[in-house]
Each structure stands twice: as C-alpha cells, then as structure tokens.
Amino acid sequence: MSIAHAYAATSAASGLGRTTVERREPEHDDVEIAIEYCGLCHSDVHAARSEWGTARYPLVPGHEIVGRVTRVGESVTSFAVGARVGVGCMVDSCRECESCMDGLEQYCVNGMTATYGTPDRRRDGEVTQGGYSTSIVVNEGYVLRIPESMDPAAAAPLLCAGITTFSPLNHFGVEKGDAVGVVGLGGLGHLAVKIAKAMGAEVTVFTTSSGKVDAARELGADHVVLSRDANAMAAVANTLDVVIDTVAAPHELNPLIRALRLDGALFQLGLPADPMPAVDPGLLVRKRRKYAGSLIGGIAETQEMLDFCAEHQVASDIELVSADQLNSAYDRMVAGDVKYRFVLDAGSLKEDL
C-alpha cells in the first residue's frame, strides 16, 4: 500500500477536510498515477452532500483526473512511466456483458465501478476514492492518454463534461452544416458549444439570462435565444437537428422540442432533482422527433473525444483552486459563480499539510 494525501467529506454536512487514503500496490495490469489536476464537477457536490442518496463516508470526490504515470504493472503495454494520462468517471466495469464488449462500459449491465463512492467488486467491496488526492491506481483499460499538446488543467473537465457533451453529438453524427441547439451555458453547455462548432455545426444557445448573450457569442455561438421570450422561441421552430439540454433544474421541454426539424433529437444531459413538466407526445409523433438521454461515454469514445479536442484546440474555460479553497468552490458552484469549471491543483494537497 501507498498513502495519498486527500480531501474528503465525512458526512453530508461536514464539508471537505484533509485526510489520507491508502492506494493499492499496482497489480500486473494497473497504472499508478501522480495526480496533477482534478476537475470539480457539480455531481461531486451532490455526492459529498448526499443529495443523490446517502453517500458512503468518508468520501474523496473527483472524477476528472489528469496526471503522470509513476509505475505500471508488468502486463501493462499501453502506458509508460512519465506519460500524461487521465481518468474519468469510471475505473472498472464487468468487462463481460454486451455493453462492455461493445465499448459502452458506462452502460455496463452489471454496473460500472465509479471513480469514487462505489464498492469495488474486484476488491471485496472496498469503496473507491477519487481524484481530490495526490495519487490513484487504476486498471490500464480505464486510463486515457492525454495529448501532450493540451493544457493539462484545462483538459481535466473534458473527462466528464467534455465526453458528456461529445457523446450525443458524436452518436447523432453531427457534421458541417448541421444545426445544433445548446440549452444552458454552464460547465457542460460551454463545452457543448465549443465541440459542436469544432464539428462544423451552426450553434444556437438557449438561455434564460440576457447577461449570457455576449458570453455565448464569445464561445462561438452563431445565435442566442432568450428562452423565456415566446416570440423568439417561435422563430426557431423546426430549425435544429440536435438539441443538447444541459440544464439540471426543472424546465419546459415542449418549446425546445418544437425547435427540432423532422427526425431531430433532444438529448437530456442534466438531471433535475425535482420532476420535469410533461412532454407532449404529439410533438414527437408528428415529426418523428426523439427525446433521449446520454451518459458520459465509453473508454474508446472518451479517447476519441480527447484526440478530437486536441486536434481542434478545444479546452474547458477554468479557474484553478487550491485545496483550502475547495469548500468555497463548492458554494460558488451551487451559486453558479464559476466561468465555467473549477479545477483543483493537486500539488496544493501536499502544501496544505
């Protein structure tokens, strides 16, 4: 075992505090990683505060991990010591079901092993601990290559927010000339805009805030629609091929569905805690529209996303935080006071001792 310095929650109300976690010695197919950066995802807040069900404490969050390889097991062939690598939202799956065999490990029939807060089926149910730490050990099949051309801190959020938005756009086959709508301009939304533009799409951002119009255009949006303006919404009816909905609060979907063309698709990425208003099935039936969900991406697709973003110079807009700023960063995320993602400088975990 080795010891990693970390920050963990010990209860729903405890906030995050200093701790240490034990990391296993690398097995024959494992990669040991010295963590450089870890993105802060809003789902980390939900998990640490038991807002999506009671968490298993102590809990070290973090599933947007970038670092350098320090050791590899004797069977590892994909990574060498010194390589810059990443770990996203999962560190294992059953590796046997149809989804896993198809490279869709996130939809593992037997349940993927999340990077934190999940009993590890291969280690007697030991609960996984995440990337707010100085090191981690992960099976090589769930480790990603981070292109050296990328800013490692700005690349970290791609391992969750990036793949979450890339996957539905990729699945739908978005290409030059397509029209894509993006609902919400936060951590997910700003990357959806950048990725869709890099794919060649014409992008329309839907926002409730007039204060985000200029920001959307700065990110590359071709059009910005204030979604509370009924006339503006009516003007975009039947104009879009895909809508990526990143909003995690209850909101009306029917006006967004009306914006879709024949055979268009609305992908729901946000997970509101409260019930959503009803969808009018007639809007789907009359134009063969689709209302679908999407969950991160498989390992192969996540690597495809990273390579795509490196080629097209797509990265997250970030604000670096140190370990002693984690709790205030959580509060700022809840308040929407971040443009657009926080990233932890993992070097500060040692400095904070």
Side-chain angles (χ1 to χ4, degrees):
M1 293 285 185
S2 60
I3 300 298
H5 301 293
Y7 261 59
T10 55
S11 74
S14 69
L16 298 167
R18 290 192 302 269
T19 190
T20 58
V21 292
E22 291 185 342
R23 299 299 194 187
R24 68 179 183 268
E25 286 295 301
E27 298 175 1
H28 72 96
D29 53 357
D30 280 339
V31 175
E32 181 186 71
I33 302 163
I35 298 174
E36 297 174 302
Y37 301 100
C38 185
L40 276 59
C41 180
H42 206 123
S43 61
D44 297 345
V45 180
H46 291 307
R49 297 178 178 179
S50 286
E51 293 171 350
W52 284 348
T54 303
R56 298 174 177 88
Y57 298 106
L59 179 72
V60 177
H63 57 209
E64 299 175 348
I65 300 166
V66 172
R68 293 281 188 186
V69 175
T70 50
R71 286 191 290 172
V72 297
E74 63 269 20
S75 300
V76 173
T77 59
S78 301
F79 304 98
V81 171
R84 177 164 279 141
V85 296
V87 178
C89 299
M90 57 184 163
V91 292
D92 205 351
S93 61
C94 81
R95 312 181 199 176
E96 298 175 350
C97 71
E98 184 176 357
S99 293
C100 287
M101 298 304 290
D102 286 344
L104 298 170
E105 299 93 344
Q106 76 274 32
Y107 301 121
C108 176
V109 172
N110 297 300
M112 69 175 183
T113 302
T115 305
Y116 65 83
T118 302
D120 189 336
R121 61 167 62 85
R122 301 183 199 279
R123 289 169 184 83
D124 298 324
E126 177 185 343
V127 176
T128 56
Q129 302 291 355
Y132 297 4
S133 58
T134 51
S135 68
I136 193 168
V137 177
V138 180
N139 178 273
E140 72 166 324
Y142 299 81
V143 177
L144 290 309
R145 179 182 55 82
I146 303 294
E148 288 289 347
S149 62
M150 304 183 85
D151 176 340
L158 297 178
L159 293 160
C160 177
I163 185 57
T164 295
T165 50
F166 177 88
S167 186
L169 294 168
N170 190 42
H171 178 75
F172 197 84
V174 169
E175 59 187 5
K176 186 175 181 179
D178 286 339
V180 172
V182 176
V183 187
L185 200 65
L188 290 175
H190 92 287
L191 282 172
V193 172
K194 292 186 177 189
I195 291 170
K197 286 296 295 182
M199 290 176 169
E202 181 178 343
V203 176
T204 298
V205 168
F206 295 90
T207 179
T208 59
S209 172
S210 59
K212 291 191 175 181
V213 172
D214 289 342
R217 294 195 182 279
E218 289 171 4
L219 289 167
D222 300 285
H223 314 285
V224 186
V225 175
L226 294 175
S227 55
R228 289 176 177 161
D229 183 333
N231 292 329
M233 292 298 293
V236 295
N238 303 301
T239 63
L240 302 177
D241 298 293
V242 181
V243 171
I244 302 295
D245 189 341
T246 71
V247 175
H251 57 286
E252 288 284 349
L253 292 174
N254 293 326
L256 298 169
I257 294 172
R258 290 189 184 96
L260 293 170
R261 294 171 175 156
L262 176 68
D263 285 330
L266 189 158
F267 285 95
Q268 186 73 47
L269 303 184
L271 285 174
D274 297 316
M276 291 277 283
V279 169
D280 178 358
L283 295 175
L284 304 175
V285 169
R286 286 191 287 272
K287 287 192 178 290
R288 205 162 56 192
R289 294 161 169 146
K290 306 166 187 67
Y291 177 44
S294 185
L295 175 67
I296 53 172
I299 296 299
E301 188 177 42
T302 303
Q303 188 63 63
E304 179 185 358
M305 176 274 304
L306 288 167
D307 294 340
F308 174 91
C309 288
E311 178 184 355
H312 294 276
Q313 298 183 321
V314 173
S316 182
D317 291 9
I318 66 167
E319 179 180 335
L320 272 178
V321 296
S322 58
D324 61 358
Q325 295 174 308
L326 282 169
N327 288 306
S328 61
Y330 270 28
D331 291 338
R332 286 179 58 192
M333 273 197 284
V334 172
D337 179 24
V338 55
K339 193 176 178 181
Y340 289 94
R341 299 286 283 202
F342 288 119
V343 174
L344 169 66
D345 178 354
S348 67
L349 292 166
K350 290 182 179 179
E351 296 167 6
D352 191 52
L353 293 175

